Amino acid sequence: MLTGISIVFLGGDARQVEIINKCLELDAGVSVVGFDHLDPPLTGVSQEKISPALLANADVIILPVTGCDDQGTIPAPFSAEQLVIEQKWFSSIRRGTLVYTGIAKKLLKQMGTEHGFRIIELLERDDIAIYNSIPTAEGAVMMAIQNTDITIHGSTCIVLGMGRTGFTLASTLQGLGATVKVGVRREDDVARAVQMGWKPFATRDLAANIGEVDLIFNTIPTMIVTAQIISKLPRRTVVIDLASAPGGTDFRFAEKRGIKAILAPGIPGIVAPKTAGIIMANTTCQSILEEYHLRGDEE
Ligand code: NAP
């Protein structure tokens, strides 16, 4: 249980609501900022305005998946007001306070180092990335269906990268009856792909493997679907780029050549906010419990 722990939520979307509800279930004291327009409204929480006193009283602060930008702006889609944390307010956060976010940008990291609060980046965790790969793969398939006039079944798909997202996506496409080719660079990934019944090739040989491809899904966060590759693609090919912005595709050249190429960020929060929220909620609460358990052992 989280009894006696004071948790402050600063902004966030539907995913954050799942984390709030989980914290309430576990008996934490919950204050929220940026949820004044949520319908139906949250119950059992204290609706607040952001202030140094609020931050000073928090044992745990939970920011949205994208954290805050380098001007301190925090996304708060359930509020009519813009939510901004002023830089001088970071000094109110007590040393050792746990600050959760998906990813921490420069300002937050710098403030954490300066003022001694502990930043936990949930999207860095392997378990979260693997759980998130499920809605990501489903959303990518949805986009493929929406942007082609053929079935995934019987199509030839290339998945670039066989990490947490690429692996799940390749399995999902295989399950739908596609021929799946995977672009990898490690020998163990080649072996795993063969075992899975996929057709691996080295990413450096991408140009030689695009002859009959219907769909390319990129998960490699570096320029890989270059102008040179795009110039050789069949005109029907659709590229769905899942890698973090700016993606790994030359979108300018794809447009010039009339190849449909889509950068698709933040899919879990778009196609399955509830599931994505439950994933974040379970991991966040488990992490808070572990942190407090460890502190209890140390005392
Ligand atoms: P990951 O587990 O680290 O996998 C990345 C894959 O890319 C690995 O197979 C890696 O190969 C390969 N790779 C990286 N650099 C490469 C290079 N220069 N040449 C060839 N291969 C390279 O990451 P992930 O969790 O799957 O995430 C992949 C990307 O998708 C990230 O940018 C992430 O932010 C993004 N993402 C987007 C969404 C969305 O909604 N669009 C959702 C989840 C993740 P090695 O193993 O050999 O390094």
Side-chain angles (χ1 to χ4, degrees):
M1 297 296 279
L2 298 174
T3 311
I5 299 178
S6 165
I7 304 183
V8 172
F9 284 83
L10 300 177
D13 56 20
R15 288 171 283 185
Q16 224 68 355
V17 175
E18 295 299 326
I19 313 179
I20 292 171
N21 286 331
K22 180 91 185 174
C23 289
L24 288 171
E25 244 175 60
L26 294 172
D27 197 30
V30 175
S31 304
V32 302
V33 182
F35 291 88
D36 42 301
H37 274 46
L38 182 66
D39 185 23
L42 292 164
T43 52
V45 304
S46 162
Q47 298 266 4
E48 302 282 350
K49 296 267 180 221
I50 190 165
S51 69
L54 180 74
L55 300 176
N57 285 324
D59 299 311
V60 178
I61 295 172
I62 303 188
L63 291 163
V65 174
T66 51
C68 68
D69 69 15
D70 290 340
Q71 284 68 50
T73 307
I74 302 169
F78 295 129
S79 177
E81 286 170 36
Q82 203 190 24
L83 179 54
V84 181
I85 179 165
E86 288 185 29
Q87 192 166 329
K88 61 182 184 225
W89 293 352
F90 281 104
S91 63
S92 308
I93 301 175
R94 282 180 280 127
R95 293 188 84 74
T97 300
L98 302 174
V99 176
Y100 285 86
T101 180
I103 39 163
K105 298 193 178 122
K106 201 169 136 223
L107 174 72
L108 186 62
K109 282 186 176 162
Q110 188 191 326
M111 293 293 108
T113 311
E114 248 171 61
H115 302 296
F117 56 82
R118 193 132 156 256
I119 299 167
I120 299 173
E121 291 179 275
L122 292 169
L123 292 187
E124 292 283 302
R125 288 177 58 129
D126 227 15
D127 55 350
I128 289 251
I130 292 168
Y131 285 127
N132 260 339
S133 71
I134 303 167
T136 305
E138 287 189 13
V141 166
M142 178 193 80
M143 297 185 75
I145 292 169
Q146 285 171 339
N147 286 284
T148 53
D149 53 8
I150 55 166
T151 55
I152 302 275
H153 187 277
S155 69
T156 299
C157 296
I158 287 181
V159 177
L160 295 172
M162 222 181 96
R164 294 153 312 180
T165 308
F167 191 93
T168 304
L169 181 55
S171 308
T172 306
L173 294 166
Q174 181 183 39
L176 288 170
T179 297
V180 180
K181 296 168 90 174
V182 287
V184 296
R185 62 176 175 183
R186 294 204 327 248
E187 283 307 317
D188 54 342
D189 280 342
V190 171
R192 179 59 72 198
V194 169
Q195 178 268 324
M196 291 297 293
W198 309 329
K199 295 180 178 167
F201 63 88
T203 42
R204 63 174 177 277
D205 298 331
L206 177 57
N209 281 278
I210 51 178
E212 289 305 315
V213 66
D214 298 298
L215 282 150
I216 296 182
F217 298 89
N218 177 46
T219 74
I220 299 178
T222 187
M223 179 50 69
I224 179 123
V225 186
T226 57
Q228 195 201 4
I229 297 293
I230 292 167
S231 68
K232 297 195 175 91
L233 283 176
R235 221 164 257 276
R236 65 173 188 277
T237 308
V238 173
V239 181
I240 297 175
D241 199 330
L242 303 168
S244 51
T249 304
D250 188 332
F251 291 100
R252 184 203 60 84
F253 189 69
E255 191 178 357
K256 190 169 175 190
R257 223 204 125 210
I259 296 275
K260 209 183 265 184
I262 304 156
L263 183 63
I267 292 181
I270 297 167
V271 302
K274 191 166 180 81
T275 306
I278 292 169
I279 293 167
M280 304 290 278
N282 289 339
T283 310
T284 306
C285 290
Q286 191 194 344
S287 165
I288 299 171
L289 285 166
E290 279 166 13
E291 290 289 339
Y292 273 82
H293 188 68
L294 281 176
R295 287 180 190 189
D297 285 351
E298 279 165 14
E299 278 163 17

